[in-house]
Structures are given as structure tokens and as C-alpha cells.
Amino acid sequence: MHLRMISGLLLVVGALLALAPVKTDLDGAWRLAEPSGRTVMLTLIDNYLMQTTYEPTQFVSTRGGAWERNGNTLSLKVEFDTQDTSRVGQTETYQVALRNGQLVMNGPGGTRTFTRVDEPSGQTPLAGLWRITGRANDAGQVTTMQRGPRKTIKLLTGSRFQWAAINPQTKLFAGTGGGTYSFKDGKYTETIDFFSRDNSRVGRSLTFNADVNGNEWRHSGQSSTGGPVNEVWTREK
């Protein structure tokens, strides 16, 4: 192979690596149990973060956005925040440390210590950040969604999931839900721990037919309201 061709390939590989999300030792799901009985669930993967507070039968709040880490400093660019929309578009800085399986975060709200729940698992191809990009009709024909500021995204670790429908440009928050999931033999099952639109759905499990092909994930079945679901999700980079 000519030297010029090798150099060209190296440049292409380098560019692809620069676009790929950085894997870090923070990736995974983390939990904080508050004395009040509330749970704070923190999920981080593919340079995206979601943090949600909920009670056994009631959703409380959620926030999230893109983040990057420089040493012990984590910078979060907020894309949604149900408690204070004025934070959307702002960048917050946290000092982070890993100690004995715990994540200590010191930021604007004080110091919080989270316990690890899971890590991204090599057993599932779903771990990462996804965005809905299309829906299929009964005949299987896919209608591709036009990409814009409004988006529905889903963040999955080794065992946890959370989706959020947001528009960072207008600071719109349209809803979220999350909990645990499993993916085996073409079946994807979600068990709901919180749902901002209807607390009565907590505890329900939904099973879908699922197929993951590289950066595309298709799943079909019935939603929590009984309506048909036939969606295409694409991995965000």
C-alpha cells in the first residue's frame, strides 16, 4: 500500500474517532437515595447525562444535557431542566471523584454522593444515546423525521433507560419516562420507574420486538396507552 494511501486512511480513522463519543469511567447508572424516600437516578454515557428525581409512585423532576470531562472537572451544557428552564443553554461545572464504587459530585447544588448501579454492558448493543428518526406504517414503510431542534432522545446504560422529548432552542420539555430494561432474543422489555405524564403507569412492563443493526434500532409493539408503536432510532454521535 502506498504511503500516501496509508496517510489518507489514518486521517479518515482519526476524524471518525474524533466524532465518536468518548468512553469514560463515569459511564453507567448511579443512584442516590435521599432521606425523604426520593430516588435520584443519574445516567451518563456517550457524553450525555440525565438526572431524574422520583418517589415510588410520583415523578418529581428531571434535567440533562451534553457533558465533557477534563480531569476532575465535568462541564454540563443543560438542554432541559423541569425545575428551572432558565438554566437551559447554560454550562454548569462540577468537580467529580470516584471513591470505592461511588461518584462524588460537587456543584452549584452542593455535594452529592451516588452509588453505582451498572456500567455499559458489552452484552447489549443498546447502551448509548439514541434519537428517534423515523416511524413505520402497517406496510413497513418508514417516514423519516426531519432533523431539527425538537427531538426525542433515549439514553441507555447496561440496565437502565430514560427517554426525554425536548427542544433546547425553545426550552420546551414535553415529557420523560425511565426505568429498567432487558434485551434478549429480539425482545426489548421496559419496566417503568417514573413517567412524567402519568404516574399510574409506574410498575408496568412493556415488551417490543426489537432489531439492532449497527447504528439503527427498530422496535415495534404497543405503547403504555395501547397504541401501536413502530419506530426507528438512530445512535447519536
Side-chain angles (χ1 to χ4, degrees):
M1 185 178 290
H2 295 297
L3 181 60
R4 182 176 296 177
M5 185 178 294
I6 293 174
S7 298
L9 288 173
L10 289 174
L11 287 174
V12 171
V13 171
L16 291 174
L17 289 175
L19 292 173
V22 177
K23 303 302 180 183
T24 80
D25 53 1
L26 301 184
D27 288 355
W30 304 81
R31 178 187 287 115
L32 168 63
E34 295 186 334
S36 64
R38 290 180 172 179
T39 294
V40 182
M41 186 61 64
L42 179 67
T43 50
L44 305 95
I45 191 170
D46 283 0
N47 303 121
Y48 206 87
L49 173 158
M50 293 188 185
Q51 178 181 308
T52 302
T53 302
Y54 59 97
E55 298 176 358
T57 58
Q58 183 173 349
F59 168 82
V60 178
S61 64
T62 191
R63 62 199 312 265
W67 64 275
E68 60 182 25
R69 183 182 178 189
N70 183 8
N72 293 327
T73 301
L74 184 150
S75 298
L76 169 68
K77 185 172 183 180
V78 181
E79 287 199 331
F80 61 97
D81 189 320
T82 59
Q83 287 189 314
D84 186 354
T85 57
S86 69
R87 295 172 182 159
V88 176
Q90 303 297 312
T91 298
E92 299 178 350
T93 301
Y94 297 82
Q95 295 301 307
V96 296
L98 290 172
R99 300 171 186 163
N100 301 319
Q102 294 184 315
L103 170 60
V104 181
M105 297 185 67
N106 186 0
T111 300
R112 285 183 158 186
T113 301
F114 295 84
T115 300
R116 183 180 284 283
V117 175
D118 71 22
E119 299 180 20
S121 172
Q123 301 302 311
T124 173
L126 290 176
L129 176 63
W130 300 80
R131 175 174 179 155
I132 191 168
T133 55
R135 287 191 172 89
N137 59 22
D138 293 339
Q141 297 173 319
V142 176
T143 300
T144 301
M145 298 177 179
Q146 184 176 358
R147 193 176 180 91
R150 182 164 182 167
K151 57 186 178 180
T152 298
I153 53 179
K154 184 175 286 192
L155 197 66
L156 296 99
T157 61
S159 63
R160 303 283 311 182
F161 80 94
Q162 182 177 348
W163 62 267
I166 59 175
N167 186 332
Q169 189 175 92
T170 63
K171 303 184 180 182
L172 169 74
F173 171 80
T176 193
T180 59
Y181 81 93
S182 64
F183 179 49
K184 185 177 181 181
D185 298 330
K187 298 294 183 181
Y188 171 76
T189 301
E190 295 181 344
T191 299
I192 301 171
D193 284 348
F194 57 87
F195 187 28
S196 64
R197 296 172 180 169
D198 186 351
N199 291 315
S200 69
R201 307 265 172 82
V202 172
R204 295 187 186 181
S205 293
L206 305 172
T207 298
F208 303 89
N209 296 315
D211 178 60
V212 181
N213 184 8
N215 292 325
E216 184 177 275
W217 166 23
R218 295 193 179 199
H219 76 148
S220 60
Q222 289 187 325
S223 70
S224 58
T225 61
V229 171
N230 198 337
E231 299 172 338
V232 179
W233 296 75
T234 303
R235 191 179 293 275
E236 282 281 84
K237 295 184 179 179

